[in-house]
Amino acid sequence: MITWWQIILLSALAFWMIIDQLTVYWVNNPLCIGMISGLIMGDIKTGLIVGATLQLMVLGVSTYGGASMPDYMTGAIVGTVYAVLAGKGTQFAIGLAVPVGLLMVQLDVLARLANTFFQKRGERFINENNPKSAGRNAWLGIFSWGFSRAIPVFLLLLVGNSIVKAILNAIPVWLTNGLKVSGKILPVVGIAILLRYLPTKKYLSYLIIGFVAAAYLKIPMLGVALLGLALALINYQRQSEAQPKAAVSEYENAEGEYEN
Amino acid sequence: MKTSENKSLTKHDLFRANWRWLWASQLSWNYEKMMAPGYFYTVLPFLQRFYHDDELVEMMRMHDQFFNTNAFTGPFIIGMDLAIENHQGYAAKDTVAGLKTGLMGPLASVGDTIFGVIIPTVFGSIGAYMGLKGSPIGALMWIAVNLLIFFLRFSLLPLGYYQGEKLIDSAEGKLNLITQSAILLGLTVVGALIPTVVTVNVPLVFQTGKVTLKLQSVLNEIMPSLVPVLLVAFVYWLLGKKKVTSTKVILFVLVLGIVLSYFNILGV
């Protein structure tokens, strides 16, 4: 069962997490949101597992230049709650959290659109030489952002409770098992998107080093991160030393054009 | 207003700008002018101090123009802007407008790579790896790192204010190098991520007469985590296709998991 104060707290968390992403950047990731949702639901481990799986899906997905991305923080809240309530395993809840995260893209777009309204009002106050009112419109967007996350979570938790249980009972076993496998392989998408974003082909050797360290040598993740840090530092030092020389090697050729 | 009459901004002034940017930079982010309201809000008290009447309106308009950069590295521009406006006043209007548009791109790419990709990759990988086992340590570590960055980010605006233009030239080469080295760290971690978090196996067993052949054992002899590697390579290839969006790929993989599980090709 979910109590009314849990619904309120989780809705408040939904409001805060998007504001957090736009301002202080403390907990704005599915992993931490999953953990906090788990804390609120009294099952921190489930929250961590749901959050961690969703975290792996968004590894390479970051919001730049105003592009909307699937909102797996909302997914983490809803997924954690469903996982705790249904008790049918976490991978299964992730299968439900993913569509929620995907649908949230639409509401992200809506919030960004709504803020154009504050932009227009701000411009009007600037032309009227009214700095105070213009300044206010520069932060009123907090409400469009916050409620774009809080309201759907509130509704999903309020009406979702009984509906989700009914759905859960109706789902056949092969689909439950299938969703478990999907939950396991979905992180592949996050990893692949990240590899597309990074210059993977140019630095493929580092990807291989990391893979060998984990798959063959069984080094834990923190250890691999330290290995990566060492490689990064070596690269930084070598390149720093090489840089003045590189600048010299850029010379003007006979035609008067610069060449590297 | 006479330019030389302006005193240097105090540390408190610079902190105030930092604080306003921290909260307002993206709250009214919109499709039309993106971070313009945030920039405008940040410099507003200084505009009111430097200018009056028509000049104030003109400068408010200028600072309400399209602006978009990374929220972490953006304050460097604000610091430079405040230094210039404090010295040159209204005469610097065009300089500042040019400075803002000129620097927002380069600073965005450094900031987005480091704060938007590499740090979430490294700490997201470590945190998720521990989180999948039910341990909150990785998540707490990430929060600690975020808090550290939270305090460090306040130093960029004063840096921009005191160092001004001369810094951006000398720093450019160094910034690229830092970005490049950070990418190497990120790729190493991702390499380790593939075998540790994508833990599916192939339950399929072939039987011919008395000989049973477990496909997974064969695959293991070729290479550990062969299936996860192939899956990543496959999705990587898919993402390179035209008209393939990440959302489509996610839905595709969701269905793929169900289908492969149904035919007993993949299992948990």
Side-chain angles (χ1 to χ4, degrees):
Chain A
M1 267 306 290
I2 186 164
T3 60
W4 61 269
W5 62 264
Q6 282 171 321
I7 294 182
I8 303 275
L9 275 181
L10 291 165
S11 304
L13 176 65
F15 192 102
W16 169 252
M17 72 189 183
I18 183 64
I19 303 305
D20 184 289
Q21 178 173 73
L22 298 165
T23 57
V24 293
Y25 232 75
W26 290 333
V27 291
N28 70 315
N29 51 73
L31 177 66
C32 291
I33 296 298
M35 179 174 73
I36 298 168
S37 307
L39 200 65
I40 295 172
M41 293 304 292
D43 186 349
I44 196 165
K45 194 175 173 187
T46 301
L48 275 167
I49 296 172
V50 171
T53 311
L54 293 171
Q55 182 63 48
L56 293 167
M57 290 176 55
V58 291
L59 272 186
V61 192
S62 199
T63 166
Y64 308 110
S68 291
M69 61 177 202
D71 178 10
Y72 292 123
M73 292 199 286
T74 304
I77 296 181
V78 175
T80 303
V81 173
Y82 290 174
V84 172
L85 289 183
K88 281 208 179 185
T90 47
Q91 302 304 330
F92 170 72
I94 287 149
L96 293 173
V98 169
V100 170
L102 292 176
L103 283 174
M104 287 302 293
V105 175
Q106 309 306 326
L107 287 153
D108 187 71
V109 171
L110 200 66
R112 289 166 190 269
L113 265 179
N115 284 344
T116 313
F117 171 74
F118 297 118
Q119 172 75 44
K120 287 290 167 210
R121 275 168 56 103
E123 281 167 23
R124 209 180 71 217
F125 287 123
I126 286 172
N127 289 331
E128 291 169 3
N129 196 0
N130 184 349
K132 206 172 164 221
S133 301
R136 191 174 58 235
N137 278 282
W139 56 261
L140 274 176
I142 189 173
F143 296 111
S144 26
W145 280 116
F147 285 121
S148 73
R149 307 306 200 274
I151 291 173
V153 166
F154 181 76
L155 292 177
L156 277 170
L157 298 185
L158 199 67
V159 301
N161 201 354
S162 49
I163 295 174
V164 167
K165 280 204 169 163
I167 295 172
L168 287 177
N169 290 329
I171 290 178
V173 179
W174 62 267
L175 189 56
T176 324
N177 290 337
L179 283 172
K180 281 181 185 167
V181 172
S182 298
K184 274 285 177 194
I185 61 172
L186 275 169
V188 164
V189 182
I191 293 170
I193 294 172
L194 182 63
L195 292 178
R196 275 273 164 206
Y197 177 83
L198 296 171
T200 305
K201 282 179 186 160
K202 195 173 167 194
Y203 301 117
L204 186 66
S205 41
Y206 293 87
L207 189 73
I208 298 172
I209 291 173
F211 178 81
V212 170
Y216 289 91
L217 304 176
K218 310 284 179 203
I219 298 175
M221 190 58 79
L222 196 57
V224 179
L226 287 172
L227 180 70
L229 183 66
L231 293 171
L233 286 173
I234 291 170
N235 177 69
Y236 182 81
Q237 283 160 353
R238 288 208 176 146
Q239 298 282 336
S240 304
E241 284 162 17
Q243 223 167 34
K245 284 175 204 158
V248 175
S249 74
E250 189 180 62
Y251 65 97
E252 215 175 337
N253 67 14
E255 282 84 31
E257 291 163 354
Y258 282 99
E259 268 184 9
N260 280 319
Chain B
M1 181 178 247
K2 268 284 177 192
T3 56
S4 49
E5 285 169 22
N6 282 338
K7 281 187 235 152
S8 291
L9 299 183
T10 61
K11 276 195 172 139
H12 177 260
D13 286 329
L14 298 181
F15 179 77
R16 192 175 177 206
N18 249 327
W19 191 248
R20 289 174 80 91
W21 173 259
L22 171 71
W23 291 103
S25 59
Q26 300 181 88
L27 280 183
S28 279
W29 193 103
N30 62 84
Y31 283 123
E32 196 184 332
K33 292 186 176 174
M34 301 199 174
M35 282 180 168
Y39 199 100
F40 166 76
Y41 183 80
T42 305
V43 294
L44 187 58
F46 302 97
L47 300 184
Q48 285 177 287
R49 194 189 300 175
F50 297 157
Y51 317 106
H52 298 282
D53 307 320
D54 285 352
E55 281 189 359
L56 176 60
V57 174
E58 279 300 308
M59 289 307 265
M60 285 199 297
R61 270 197 200 126
M62 187 271 279
H63 282 299
D64 193 43
Q65 291 313 310
F66 179 93
F67 186 76
N68 205 38
T69 189
N70 179 272
F72 288 93
T73 47
F76 187 80
I77 303 176
I78 299 166
M80 285 175 66
D81 170 6
L82 290 178
I84 294 168
E85 284 194 57
N86 189 42
H87 282 286
Q88 301 182 8
Y90 188 71
K93 188 184 159 200
D94 292 338
T95 315
V96 171
L99 176 89
K100 282 172 66 180
T101 32
L103 285 185
M104 65 183 188
L107 282 171
S109 64
V110 178
D112 286 348
T113 307
I114 292 183
F115 299 105
V117 179
I118 299 304
I119 286 176
T121 299
V122 173
F123 290 96
S125 303
I126 297 170
Y129 172 76
M130 292 180 170
L132 285 175
K133 294 174 176 170
S135 160
I137 290 171
L140 295 174
M141 234 168 72
W142 194 356
I143 294 175
V145 169
N146 280 345
L147 286 175
L148 185 70
I149 294 170
F150 176 74
F151 288 110
L152 287 177
R153 71 192 279 191
F154 286 108
S155 62
L156 266 181
L157 195 147
L159 191 71
Y161 181 79
Y162 293 117
Q163 303 297 319
E165 301 110 285
K166 62 186 174 195
L167 202 74
I168 199 79
D169 293 327
S170 68
E172 199 156 29
K174 207 151 226 171
L175 280 177
N176 285 339
L177 192 51
I178 291 172
T179 311
Q180 187 207 38
S181 302
I183 286 170
L184 302 186
L185 165 59
L187 274 175
T188 312
V189 170
V190 176
L193 204 57
I194 299 169
T196 45
V197 300
V198 192
T199 50
V200 281
N201 56 56
V202 184
L204 213 58
V205 176
F206 289 111
Q207 233 166 349
T208 39
K210 284 178 186 170
V211 185
T212 52
L213 183 68
K214 283 185 184 166
L215 197 56
Q216 184 61 51
S217 325
V218 179
L219 294 176
N220 282 346
E221 276 178 33
I222 302 171
M223 189 171 123
S225 303
L226 183 62
V227 176
V229 170
L230 290 177
L231 279 171
V232 170
F234 174 59
V235 175
Y236 179 87
W237 173 78
L238 266 186
L239 286 167
K241 296 261 147 202
K242 275 177 195 164
K243 287 185 188 174
V244 175
T245 62
S246 55
T247 305
K248 279 183 196 164
V249 173
I250 284 171
L251 289 173
F252 171 74
V253 171
L254 195 67
V255 175
L256 185 76
I258 296 168
V259 172
L260 292 180
S261 153
Y262 186 80
F263 291 106
N264 215 23
I265 298 171
L266 279 186
V268 184

